[in-house]
């Protein structure tokens, strides 16, 4: 079957393929598949070209870059976590992911870093050392 004779995918088939290719789908993908499938396909084409297709950078490296860039952009925790999970599936270690997130500190600051750290901590199950002195609860430092 040539490209000219391949039947068009339904929105549901497209979302299924996105999930297989990426390892996740975001809520906006699901909504766009239902309400503006053409725009979803157009935006996903850019993601496929820059992120999913094999090029000079391997998928592990791209995931680390995504985690860092999403942290710097203060993306939602769930979005950052989706890339952390994919990175872990690809064999990236929790320490390597943490080091990528730490790169946000000098350029984006502590607030952006804390959001990425909280996404990482929750995803990998990291814990901290509790102080023995009485202190006020500081929380995660994030608003999410």
């Amino acid at each position: 079957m040539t490209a000219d004779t391949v039947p068009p995918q339904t929105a549901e088939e497209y979302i299924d393929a996105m999930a297989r290719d990426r390892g996740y789908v975001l809520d906006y993908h699901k909504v766009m598949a239902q309400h503006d499938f053409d725009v979803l396909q157009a935006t996903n084409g850019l993601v496929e070209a820059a992120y999913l297709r094999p090029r000079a950078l391997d998928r592990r490296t791209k995931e680390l870059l995504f985690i860092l860039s999403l942290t710097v952009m203060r993306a939602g925790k769930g979005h950052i976590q989706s890339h952390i999970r994919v990175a872990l599936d690809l064999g990236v270690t929790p320490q390597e992911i943490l080091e990528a997130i730490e790169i946000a500190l000098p350029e984006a600051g502590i607030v952006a870093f804390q959001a990425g750290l909280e996404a990482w901590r929750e995803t990998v199950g990291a814990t901290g050392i509790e102080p023995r002195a009485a202190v006020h609860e500081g929380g995660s430092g994030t608003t999410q």
Side-chain angles (χ1 to χ4, degrees), residues 82 87 121 124:
S82 66
R121 182 205 60 75
V124 303

Side-chain angles (χ1 to χ4, degrees), residues 21-144:
D21 293 345
R22 293 171 180 239
Y24 67 92
V25 291
L26 300 172
D27 288 343
Y28 92 85
H29 298 140
K30 299 171 194 175
V31 171
M32 292 301 289
Q34 180 69 29
H35 297 281
D36 202 340
F37 186 43
D38 290 341
V39 171
L40 174 63
Q41 289 175 305
T43 58
N44 193 52
L46 175 60
V47 171
E48 285 180 9
Y51 167 57
L52 296 173
R53 288 190 192 129
R55 299 178 64 203
L57 296 176
D58 65 7
R59 183 75 185 270
R60 290 170 40 102
T61 302
K62 289 178 184 180
E63 287 304 330
L64 290 170
L65 290 169
F66 250 110
I67 293 163
L68 172 60
S69 64
L70 291 170
T71 296
V72 168
M73 297 296 297
R74 298 182 188 173
K77 181 168 56 173
H79 194 172
I80 298 169
Q81 288 176 319
S82 66
H83 286 279
I84 291 171
R85 288 184 196 101
V86 170
L88 292 167
D89 289 346
L90 293 170
V92 179
T93 69
Q95 185 64 35
E96 290 170 319
I97 296 168
L98 177 58
E99 288 181 23
I101 293 168
E102 290 168 346
I103 294 171
L105 275 165
E107 297 304 325
I110 192 70
V111 174
F113 165 75
Q114 285 175 322
L117 180 68
E118 180 61 16
W120 173 84
R121 182 205 60 75
E122 191 175 286
T123 304
V124 303
T127 60
I129 298 172
E130 293 296 327
R132 291 180 279 187
V135 295
H136 294 285
E137 177 62 37
S140 66
T142 65
T143 60
Q144 299 175 349

